[in-house]
Amino acid sequence: MTATTTTISDGLAGEMVYDSVSDFVKRHGGNKVIEKLLIANNGVAAVKAIRSIRAWSYDTFGVHDAIKFVAMATPDDLRANAEYIRIADEVVHVPGGSNNNNYANVDLIVDVAERRKCHAVWPGWGHASENPKLPDSLARTASKIAFVGPSGNAMRSLGDKISSSIVAQSASVPCLAWSGDGLRIDFDEEKIRAGKPVSVPDDVYMKACVVDAEQGVQMARRVGFPVMIKASEGGGGKGIRRCDSDKDFAALYRAVLGEVPGSPVFIMRLASNARHLEVQLLADQHGNAISVFGRDCSVQRRHQKIIEEGPAAVAEAAIFHEMENAAVRLAKFVGYTSTGTVEYLYMPDTREFHFLELNPRLQVEHPVSEMISNVNLPAAQLLVAMGIPLHRNRDIR
């Protein structure tokens, strides 16, 4: 698709004229032309992606349709006449039922992307967004379909709570006392630059895991009660329990296993009166990573976030700057690309912060960061997937 020729302000080189998306990518140092995008999501995620990228298209090319969107739609979405279906350029009917049949079905997503000749896939949040099999499978397609998100290697290193904590320790990011205290992996900058994955060896990983209640009690005593018993694959309030003493451990441990069957389990010291703060990350394919400010998501119910606010004013500017630097250091440690969120527990009384986890995707609350930074994050993701350096993104400049 060729966009209408238009003139925009480049900010550095004066007025720039782009004949097409291909011309834009070439003149901004990119390596992948993306003109057709599969939205592997539904609902508000799909609507937000389409609207944000069309806004960027209009600002850049003077037309809103420089990028074409292919949407996936289940029978339920079609019956509801969902808005994202009405605003997409193409719609592909997919099976209904649980998301394993549609939006979380990696094989289906790859098949749709290939058949519709899409140049990239945008996963959004939830569904298949944190499944490393998706970027890996797309990379193996004949046309090398791009994944608008981090690599499968980065997901494996940071998407798992246990692995990410070990990686964070290795990158000198402060962590709470936990069952994996002191575990580290070697950092080889040359391997990262060569695209080789940073991974946590199985034997190191298992040292942080609780394999039975008896061992867990011993670990909890070492860490210090009260503790949180957590499933590495848990989330959204599932697979997490507070334990205050030895006598309660076995029952709570079984409850965690029951909520997230088959997940590795670990223990972390409870941080009382802590605030839950986040740093919004953005990284490109050239080793650059920045913080797009932060958010405070301390208002929660049953470990589910209710209110997000930004900036994270509860922490002093100098302290939050340290948190941002630690997040950027972690991203560079694993060669991270695209958007991600590093979550911390912050203790206002002592002004200490500790790594909690990294979400290797765009989060539903990202508009808070957009409002305080004026950075269009879905469009920034697209530019990163095109191989364009951060300094050529006028929102970042």
Side-chain angles (χ1 to χ4, degrees):
M1 185 271 170
T2 302
T4 303
T5 301
T6 189
T7 301
I8 67 165
S9 174
D10 182 74
L12 290 179
E15 299 296 313
M16 297 287 287
V17 177
Y18 305 116
D19 297 322
S20 64
V21 175
S22 177
D23 182 41
F24 174 84
V25 172
K26 181 179 179 180
R27 294 169 74 172
H28 284 75
N31 54 32
K32 175 76 174 180
V33 177
I34 298 174
E35 295 177 314
K36 194 171 186 180
L37 188 63
L38 173 63
I39 305 297
N41 214 302
N42 63 343
V44 67
V47 171
K48 179 62 169 64
I50 295 172
R51 285 182 173 176
S52 293
I53 293 173
R54 280 183 175 162
W56 166 81
S57 172
Y58 188 81
D59 288 344
T60 305
F61 302 101
V63 294
H64 75 276
D65 58 352
I67 308 295
K68 296 294 185 182
F69 296 94
V70 178
M72 299 166 61
T74 66
D76 286 342
D77 290 321
L78 290 166
R79 279 192 293 270
N81 192 26
E83 183 176 358
Y84 81 95
I85 296 173
R86 288 185 275 117
I87 64 176
D89 298 292
E90 299 178 29
V91 177
V92 178
H93 295 197
V94 295
S98 71
N99 69 351
N100 290 327
N101 298 326
N102 38 71
Y103 306 110
N105 188 322
V106 170
D107 293 336
L108 175 65
I109 293 169
V110 174
D111 179 60
V112 171
E114 287 189 300
R115 285 191 291 109
R116 291 302 177 112
K117 294 181 169 41
C118 296
H119 303 131
V121 172
W122 186 86
W125 48 88
H127 300 310
S129 63
E130 296 183 58
N131 187 343
K133 182 183 174 184
L134 181 54
D136 288 348
S137 298
L138 291 170
R140 289 194 295 267
T141 58
S143 57
K144 304 294 182 185
I145 299 171
F147 179 71
V148 185
S151 68
N153 293 329
M155 281 191 195
R156 275 182 280 271
S157 296
L158 295 175
D160 178 277
K161 293 179 176 62
I162 294 174
S163 179
S164 65
S165 294
I166 295 172
V167 172
Q169 287 178 164
S170 304
S172 300
V173 178
C175 295
L176 278 171
W178 70 299
S179 53
D181 275 343
L183 298 176
R184 291 177 178 270
I185 58 173
D186 293 331
F187 171 66
D188 191 326
E189 191 170 345
E190 292 301 319
K191 286 186 177 180
I192 293 173
R193 286 177 179 170
K196 296 180 180 178
V198 170
S199 60
V200 177
D202 291 343
D203 60 327
V204 176
Y205 185 95
M206 289 306 300
K207 289 178 181 177
C209 297
V210 177
V211 296
D212 57 51
E214 183 178 349
Q215 180 213 27
V217 168
Q218 298 302 317
M219 284 185 168
R221 288 173 180 166
R222 176 175 61 80
V223 169
F225 286 102
V227 299
M228 300 299 291
I229 307 171
K230 303 177 72 174
S232 184
E233 297 171 8
K238 291 184 178 181
I240 181 170
R241 290 289 189 278
R242 170 178 174 163
C243 181
D244 294 306
S245 65
D246 291 8
K247 63 183 179 63
D248 300 324
F249 190 92
L252 294 169
Y253 174 69
R254 287 193 297 270
V256 169
L257 289 177
E259 288 186 355
V260 191
S263 170
V265 174
F266 68 105
I267 294 169
M268 181 175 287
R269 180 184 293 166
L270 176 71
S272 300
N273 302 316
R275 299 293 288 265
H276 192 158
L277 307 185
E278 303 175 331
V279 171
Q280 176 66 62
L281 275 177
L282 179 61
D284 64 20
Q285 299 177 18
H286 306 276
N288 305 305
I290 63 169
S291 160
V292 189
F293 306 120
R295 304 183 292 264
D296 186 337
C297 56
S298 302
V299 181
Q300 301 182 12
R301 180 175 182 268
R302 296 178 181 175
H303 309 293
Q304 282 274 49
K305 302 169 188 175
I306 297 175
I307 297 175
E308 288 270 352
E309 52 187 315
V314 66
E316 295 179 12
I319 300 296
F320 197 79
H321 189 55
E322 290 181 31
M323 297 167 73
E324 291 177 302
N325 286 339
V328 168
R329 191 162 64 246
L330 180 59
K332 290 184 175 181
F333 190 92
V334 298
Y336 194 87
T337 57
S338 197
T339 56
T341 300
V342 177
E343 301 192 8
Y344 295 103
L345 292 176
Y346 173 69
M347 277 60 77
D349 294 342
T350 61
R351 299 194 301 175
E352 295 178 326
F353 64 90
H354 300 278
F355 175 81
L356 187 60
E357 64 183 11
L358 184 146
N359 292 300
R361 56 178 167 78
L362 191 65
Q363 288 190 285
V364 64
E365 56 266 32
H366 75 272
V368 174
S369 292
E370 290 183 318
M371 285 187 282
I372 62 177
S373 68
N374 288 323
V375 174
N376 181 333
L377 288 173
Q381 285 186 297
L382 180 67
L383 266 61
V384 168
M386 290 177 175
I388 294 173
L390 290 181
H391 72 273
R392 300 305 307 271
N393 182 333
R394 65 179 182 271
D395 282 358
I396 302 303
R397 286 207 306 273

